Amino acid sequence: MTPRWLAVGATLPLLGFLLAFVVVPVSGIVASAFPAAGTLSGWATLFADPLNRDALGNSLVQGGLSAGASVLVGYPVGVFLGRYDWPGRRLLRSLLLLPFLLPSLLVVLGVADLLGPGGLLVGPFPGLGVFGHGLGGIVVVNVAFNAPMVALFTAVGAESASAPLEESLASLGASPGRVYREVWGPPSWWGALAGALLAFLFSALAFAAPLLLAGPAQYTLEDRIWSLDQILLNPHGAALLATLTLAFLAVPTAAYLAVLPRLAASGSRSAPRLGRRTASPIAVLLAGICAVFATAELLLVGAVLYRTVEPAGGRPWGAAWGLLLGPETTRALGLPISGAALNTLAFAAAAAAIALGLALGFVFARSLRPGRPGLLTALTLLPLLISPVMLAFALAEVWEPLLGGPREAWILIVVSQATLGLPFVVQSLSVPLEGLSAAPREAARTLGAGPWTAFTDVDLPRLGRGLTVAGLFAFAFGLGEFTATYFLVTPSFTTLTVAVYRLQGVRLPGVADAAAGLLLVVSAVAIVLSALGGTRVRF
Amino acid sequence: MSGSEPPPALDLRGLRVSYRNRPVLRGIDLTVGAGEFVVLMGPNGSGKSTLLRAVVGLEGTDAGAVRVFGQEVGRLPPHRRGVVLMGQEPGLFARRSVFANIAYAAGIRGAPEAEVRSQVGRLADRLGITHLLDRRPEEISGGERQRVALARALAARPRVLLLDEPFSALDVTIRADLMADFRSALASAGVAGLHVTHDRAEGLFLGDRVALLFDGRLESVGPPREVFDRPSSPRAARFLGYNVIRDGGRWRAVAPRNAGFAAGSPDGRRGQVVAAGSVGAVGRLVVQLESGERIEIETPRTAPLPAPGTWGSIRWSDAIDLPDPSAEGSP
């Protein structure tokens, strides 16, 4: 078999998966919306409802404000990370990945515990209460998630600047400001822009924060689609709004994909060349911003953990954990919390295995036919264009009847988690693969190794860390996924994230926090074990 | 130094640099006179590039002084030192023309446009790159890019120019041309230069004076002939291309052209040929002595070279006595 056909064969599972679980269901939703969308009356009906109009406006406002605030916070952190050499730099860089790995509900709960009504910081600083609910709270949650991403993109951009050019200009007499404007500033701006576009996308389609910290008046398009389908039982309206959301997403997604190649050649420098300047006033200012930001992120998680043990409702320290394991919680959820934990682990593990398997086929194909990323690479990013609610809605509409109804909801939960994690897994593997020299692979081939043997013996060991990160991403993504899961779940398949949300509405003091604490512990243990296991993987 | 004597272009006193408590430069004292061209040579990892980066301010120093024409610049940022560094990679703006790249340095000085144009023209003419002025760096060869980088460096009118192995990545066929042009351009501009290289032939050819750097310490500063003829230590001798032979408890440096091999002869130090070949009219042998040392021998190709595996004895003449390395703490 020629390398070309072998590559086609290796990517068929991925293509089939995307076709079956993304392209066909979403096309089905769009097609079902067209009879209404094709006429003015359909759109008129959609926009006659002020909540639908508000959802569009909310998405724009929340996305814009959150992206702007994320850049304000993330850009200086990224510059400090990418330009200066200081103890703990690598550690912070790793920690910035944590918000991606932590369940989104945990941060929402952290903001509520810290800044919401009765929040730990609101007592001593009442003015901070404005950031604990409503639009302020939503933006704080979005910034907590997205500022680290902006920081990482900024750092990558700043590091990609040409060190020889920068050093030459400095010695030729160019001031630091001029070197910033002409050498390393522009790539850092591209990095921040890429981060801001993603921050806009994620914030404009945020689901949990508006649901928990505000209400229908602050619902995004994502919340509104869910509300139309699940609460108001209006799947036709939901399909119409989902189609509008697809169009709404197209522009920032296209802009993000256009900006991304400008950062492609980055990451070659492991440490800033112009290091050792951490005593300058600017460096001290940047370090201060970094410290405040890191502290704020830790406080959010710390607040949730504190609430899990805090004495409340006349009960002693740690009583919430007892309640969580007790019959009241089981009655409220319809299954014991341990069952929810097992569901969570099983779904996340299955989703990670699927995503990793599909991604490995893709990178094997890339190793056979290296070169510029093409249509197939763009296709792997397709799930980024589809919001979790839209995906869940489409899967439920198209696949649920074929699978025999909600009894088989677990299949669609696993599929949705695998689909949403797929772009990150593929990127975690294909970006390092493109950075590898082809020489060892070619040497193995000339020594008699077949394509697959050369891939497993030569490329996979060199991708070791990428493989760990990819698996970790996929698994952690599944553990923390709430939006699509909540849309698809039935009581017997309740996961921990869904349990946290449901327990919010139950009169059991601290038990929702305890569930979130359990989710945090499960996530942390899983992440650490995966990381330890990943470092020992040998091929 | 007397009061009337002009200060050197570059004066380094007790310069020390370390990375994570590991000393890289261990107290460097070196001067470069006005208009002088000094070449710093040493093996890879000896600290040559670090020295240049410390002088220009791209590396912090632990101790010592950096003076440029008598002015202490050690605490100034790189752009205020008047010292220009030109590296192995030319560091040009990829998306600007050659003209714009050279003009950039003059522009930083705030020179009027007419002066910038005339200066760029003069420098391009001197370095033979006038026909490239409209092109972009990616459209010209590596050697041409280095010429552009030198023109840009000279356009900044530096007080001292530092060159960090600017020829090392270039094809050997264009290096000689480029070295000659560089040297004459610097001489006519009257700029003091400090050039580092690990290539001894390049260093001995270019330098008014040369200095050898080993393990962060300077050895043997002086005119090229003097440094070459009187190696100061076994490691300096090895770097300069001598064979270093332990001869009855003494360390001696023997130039390859002063060593000979007599096949089958039982007299002298016995050894076996491990490689033999010729470069033009010169035959080269590598002989392994019974004591384990390897000796390189150059011989006129008037007779057939012995085949590898041949046993015989080596002889030498004009050996130079070297200090015992155990006394200086390094072999």
Side-chain angles (χ1 to χ4, degrees):
Chain A
M1 193 183 282
T2 64
R4 181 181 181 177
W5 287 111
L6 205 55
V8 169
T11 49
L12 273 181
L14 176 67
L15 285 173
F17 184 87
L18 288 173
L19 193 71
F21 297 117
V22 180
V23 177
V24 169
V26 173
S27 303
I29 291 295
V30 173
S32 74
F34 256 97
T39 62
L40 282 177
S41 64
W43 291 109
T45 310
L46 183 75
F47 284 108
D49 188 336
L51 286 176
N52 291 341
R53 291 199 304 270
D54 288 351
L56 182 60
N58 288 338
S59 281
L60 283 168
V61 169
Q62 290 173 25
L65 281 177
S66 302
S70 296
V71 170
L72 277 179
V73 176
Y75 188 77
V77 174
V79 167
F80 192 56
L81 205 62
R83 295 286 306 171
Y84 294 87
D85 200 6
W86 42 277
R89 175 173 163 266
R90 285 188 175 188
L91 179 68
L92 182 72
R93 203 177 179 123
S94 305
L95 288 178
L96 284 180
L97 290 173
L98 273 184
F100 296 107
L101 302 178
L102 284 178
S104 59
L105 267 185
L106 215 99
V107 177
V108 178
L109 220 56
V111 169
D113 287 341
L114 212 55
L115 304 167
L120 296 170
L121 285 182
V122 173
F125 309 105
L128 290 177
V130 72
F131 297 113
H133 60 89
L135 182 60
I138 292 168
V139 171
V140 168
V141 169
N142 289 336
V143 170
F145 266 112
N146 294 306
M149 186 172 58
V150 173
L152 284 173
F153 272 107
T154 302
V156 166
E159 287 167 351
S160 73
S162 162
L165 174 63
E166 182 180 343
E167 293 176 357
S168 298
L169 297 197
S171 80
L172 285 168
S175 66
R178 190 164 183 161
V179 171
Y180 170 67
R181 286 196 308 277
E182 297 188 353
V183 185
W184 68 270
S188 73
W189 303 335
W190 283 116
L193 180 61
L197 285 166
L198 273 189
F200 177 83
L201 279 170
F202 292 154
S203 306
L205 298 176
F207 181 75
L211 201 66
L212 280 160
L213 296 178
Q218 290 293 345
Y219 274 7
T220 59
L221 286 167
E222 193 85 330
D223 294 303
R224 186 63 186 154
I225 295 170
W226 166 79
S227 171
L228 281 170
D229 186 66
Q230 302 274 303
I231 308 291
L232 303 172
L233 305 178
N234 176 9
H236 200 69
L240 205 55
L241 203 58
T243 307
L244 179 73
T245 305
L246 207 57
F248 173 86
L249 281 171
V251 174
T253 304
Y256 169 71
L257 293 176
V259 168
L260 211 53
R262 293 181 177 269
L263 294 168
S266 59
S268 56
R269 277 166 54 176
S270 59
R273 295 278 182 89
L274 296 179
R276 297 187 170 205
R277 298 182 307 167
T278 42
S280 74
I282 289 180
V284 171
L285 177 68
L286 292 174
I289 294 172
C290 234
V292 169
F293 175 68
T295 307
E297 293 273 347
L298 290 175
L299 273 179
L300 290 177
V301 177
V304 175
L305 289 177
Y306 175 75
R307 287 288 200 214
T308 67
V309 293
E310 181 193 43
R315 294 171 193 264
W317 284 88
W321 286 96
L323 280 175
L324 182 69
L325 300 170
E328 298 99 321
T329 302
T330 305
R331 266 198 302 278
L333 293 176
L335 84 171
I337 196 71
S338 57
L342 283 176
N343 282 341
T344 308
L345 288 169
F347 296 160
I354 291 170
L356 210 53
L358 295 172
L360 276 174
F362 172 76
V363 291
F364 173 54
R366 292 283 297 155
S367 77
L368 290 171
R369 293 176 64 78
R372 289 173 65 83
L375 180 66
L376 191 60
T377 305
L379 272 178
T380 64
L381 298 175
L382 198 62
L384 276 183
L385 186 69
I386 315 294
S387 69
V389 158
M390 197 195 304
L391 178 72
F393 177 43
L395 286 173
E397 289 291 307
V398 174
W399 278 98
E400 216 171 68
L402 296 175
L403 291 171
R407 279 175 305 143
E408 307 300 333
W410 68 273
I411 298 176
L412 295 182
I413 293 173
V414 170
V415 164
S416 67
Q417 292 181 358
T419 307
L420 293 169
L422 196 59
F424 301 102
V425 177
V426 168
Q427 287 295 304
S428 302
L429 286 176
S430 58
V431 169
L433 181 83
E434 279 157 26
L436 296 180
S437 160
R441 184 190 313 137
E442 289 166 358
R445 294 298 308 279
T446 60
L447 289 168
W452 178 250
T453 308
F455 179 67
T456 53
D457 285 359
V458 178
D459 289 324
L460 274 186
R462 293 191 292 167
L463 284 175
R465 189 171 150 70
L467 201 64
T468 308
V469 169
L472 207 59
F473 257 129
F475 189 51
F477 196 92
L479 289 180
E481 212 291 317
F482 169 65
T483 311
T485 307
Y486 182 55
F487 198 106
L488 294 164
V489 79
T490 55
S492 53
F493 298 123
T494 294
T495 62
L496 280 175
T497 53
V498 174
V500 170
Y501 177 70
R502 288 200 173 136
L503 290 170
Q504 287 281 305
V506 178
R507 290 186 173 278
L508 295 171
V511 80
D513 284 289
L518 180 63
L519 179 58
L520 182 66
V521 171
V522 169
S523 300
V525 169
I527 288 168
V528 169
L529 286 180
S530 308
L532 287 177
T535 57
R536 290 187 191 130
V537 171
R538 294 286 182 271
F539 294 90
Chain B
M1 187 189 300
S2 72
S4 59
E5 204 175 325
L10 181 66
D11 186 11
L12 309 179
R13 290 282 156 238
L15 203 62
R16 289 176 186 276
V17 174
S18 59
Y19 287 141
R20 294 187 171 90
N21 297 324
R22 186 178 64 85
V24 179
L25 297 177
R26 304 160 186 260
I28 301 292
D29 295 318
L30 181 68
T31 59
V32 180
E36 189 185 24
F37 197 76
V38 173
V39 178
L40 183 65
M41 300 191 291
N44 290 332
S46 57
K48 304 182 299 294
S49 295
T50 303
L51 176 62
L52 294 196
R53 293 172 63 80
V55 170
V56 86
L58 295 171
E59 296 290 350
T61 56
D62 299 337
V66 180
R67 294 192 191 92
V68 175
F69 287 101
Q71 181 199 356
E72 168 62 51
V73 298
R75 291 184 178 278
L76 296 179
H79 66 290
R80 297 216 176 108
R81 294 192 178 197
V83 178
V84 170
L85 173 66
M86 193 187 141
Q88 191 175 328
E89 286 184 59
L92 301 172
F93 285 108
R95 292 169 195 275
R96 298 189 191 180
S97 68
V98 166
F99 178 90
N101 268 286
I102 302 170
Y104 180 86
I108 286 178
R109 286 190 290 109
E113 195 180 329
E115 187 190 323
V116 170
R117 287 191 171 280
S118 124
Q119 194 190 5
V120 172
R122 275 199 314 275
L123 286 167
D125 186 43
R126 187 185 295 162
L127 286 157
I129 51 174
T130 307
H131 63 294
L132 304 174
L133 287 175
D134 291 333
R135 297 203 205 159
R136 295 201 300 192
E138 62 197 12
E139 297 167 336
I140 62 179
S141 70
E144 288 167 340
R145 279 198 283 272
Q146 288 296 30
R147 287 174 190 268
V148 175
L150 179 63
R152 184 182 64 174
L154 293 175
R157 297 204 175 141
R159 297 196 286 175
V160 177
L161 181 61
L162 309 179
L163 299 123
D164 189 1
E165 310 221 26
F167 312 122
S168 63
L170 301 178
D171 193 317
V172 70
T173 55
I174 60 167
R175 284 174 75 167
D177 258 1
L178 206 56
M179 279 194 270
D181 289 352
F182 262 50
R183 191 72 183 85
S184 84
L186 285 176
S188 60
V191 177
L194 179 58
H195 175 126
V196 308
T197 179
H198 64 271
D199 182 333
R200 62 174 179 261
E202 179 183 314
L204 295 169
F205 171 74
L206 284 174
D208 293 327
R209 283 189 302 142
V210 297
L212 299 183
L213 185 70
F214 293 101
D215 196 21
R217 287 197 181 87
L218 271 185
E219 284 187 21
S220 313
V221 184
R225 185 71 195 231
E226 192 179 296
V227 169
F228 182 76
D229 285 350
R230 285 199 286 276
S232 56
S233 65
R235 65 183 175 186
R238 279 195 199 97
F239 180 81
L240 291 166
Y242 289 95
N243 295 302
V244 175
I245 299 171
R246 192 113 193 235
D247 181 23
R250 288 187 304 168
W251 292 81
R252 313 192 77 182
V254 177
R257 66 177 183 282
N258 293 332
F261 179 78
S265 167
D267 302 328
R269 297 277 292 272
R270 276 180 60 73
Q272 186 182 28
V273 175
V274 292
S278 60
V279 182
V282 177
R284 283 209 173 130
L285 299 176
V286 177
V287 177
Q288 178 144 352
L289 302 183
E290 286 175 322
S291 54
E293 297 158 293
R294 283 195 170 186
I295 304 295
E296 192 181 329
I297 296 168
E298 281 180 10
T299 169
R301 280 197 57 195
T302 50
L305 294 171
T310 307
W311 280 91
S313 63
I314 62 159
R315 294 175 185 157
W316 60 81
S317 61
D318 298 329
I320 303 166
D321 284 327
L322 298 169
D324 186 345
S326 58
E328 60 186 72
S330 56

